[in-house]
Amino acid sequence: MSIPQEPTPARLVVSIIFATQGTGCSDSFIDVICAALEQEFGKVNFVSSVSLFTQTDYYEQEMGERLSRIFISFEKLQPRAQLAPIKLLTNALELRFSRPDGTRQCNIDPGFLTVENFILATGKNFTHRIYLKEGIFSEVTLLFQGGKFQTLPWTYWDYAAGNVVEMLTQMRKALIAELKSLKLL
């Protein structure tokens, strides 16, 4: 018989995709979003550089062309059971920052980085996703095995990109050091 126990906490990593052309989005807009996230989740401990988001045109009809993306992570570790409430909160922030016509100006996707994997939250069901609660599902997007992150058949192309995998690998090393210092590993 297995004995239930709490897993180690996770590092919250958030992707923000936003339009930079003809939408009024600017560095100050992203600063406002980051400040709102920081108010909810605590101090930010990492902000990536802004990069063009060209892997898909999925968001262009709603948000506009010339999309960009940043990743941020937070100092405070999160209990893994908090992924669904965090996704609901980021959904609410997307609505808060929407245009008057209701279309989004940004897409805020939270994920949990753990020693074992990187997990994304979504409101969309699919064959490989596991229901959490309140309409939120999760998926293992990257699996850490054989000394590196491995993609899976459903891993989004942008999360399989070398720069994203390298960023998450470095974050994972820092997470392991922190968990060891807290005597959780």
Side-chain angles (χ1 to χ4, degrees):
M1 169 175 78
S2 62
I3 300 171
Q5 53 186 308
E6 285 294 313
T8 57
R11 173 79 63 217
L12 174 60
V13 179
V14 176
S15 160
I16 305 170
I17 299 171
F18 58 99
T20 54
Q21 183 175 314
T23 62
C25 288
S26 64
D27 289 345
S28 61
F29 176 74
I30 295 306
D31 289 343
V32 169
I33 293 171
C34 288
L37 289 166
E38 199 165 24
Q39 186 173 15
E40 294 295 336
F41 305 120
K43 187 177 178 182
V44 168
N45 69 349
F46 172 81
V47 180
S48 74
S49 59
V50 175
S51 61
L52 288 178
F53 181 77
T54 58
Q55 289 82 359
T56 178
D57 61 2
Y58 179 82
Y59 300 101
E60 285 183 8
Q61 185 174 355
E62 180 180 18
M63 296 192 320
E65 295 179 359
R66 191 159 163 74
L67 298 176
S68 294
R69 171 196 252 166
I70 64 169
F71 288 93
I72 62 176
S73 70
F74 299 86
E75 211 171 77
K76 181 182 175 194
L77 298 177
Q78 296 287 333
R80 296 191 200 189
Q82 286 301 107
L83 187 57
I86 288 170
K87 178 61 175 170
L88 292 169
L89 200 146
T90 61
N91 284 354
L93 287 174
E94 287 179 14
L95 291 175
R96 181 171 135 197
F97 294 114
S98 291
R99 296 180 192 94
D101 68 0
T103 58
R104 293 181 299 166
Q105 295 190 84
C106 61
N107 177 72
I108 307 171
D109 280 332
F112 274 173
L113 176 65
T114 72
V115 173
E116 306 87 16
N117 51 38
F118 182 69
I119 304 162
L120 285 174
T122 181
K124 300 174 214 130
N125 190 14
F126 205 63
T127 56
H128 62 281
R129 294 184 175 150
I130 297 171
Y131 185 71
L132 299 175
K133 65 180 184 177
E134 297 183 63
I136 303 300
F137 298 82
S138 69
E139 73 172 35
V140 174
T141 299
L142 296 167
L143 183 68
F144 197 85
Q145 194 172 48
K148 62 182 181 175
F149 278 111
Q150 306 287 331
T151 60
L152 299 158
W154 51 81
T155 301
Y156 294 112
W157 294 357
D158 51 323
Y159 283 94
N163 62 325
V164 174
V165 170
E166 179 58 30
M167 175 192 68
L168 292 171
T169 300
Q170 294 306 314
M171 287 182 179
R172 180 182 178 275
K173 288 177 184 174
L175 175 63
I176 289 170
E178 182 174 353
L179 291 171
K180 285 181 178 178
S181 75
L182 295 170
K183 300 193 184 323
L184 296 174
L185 265 188

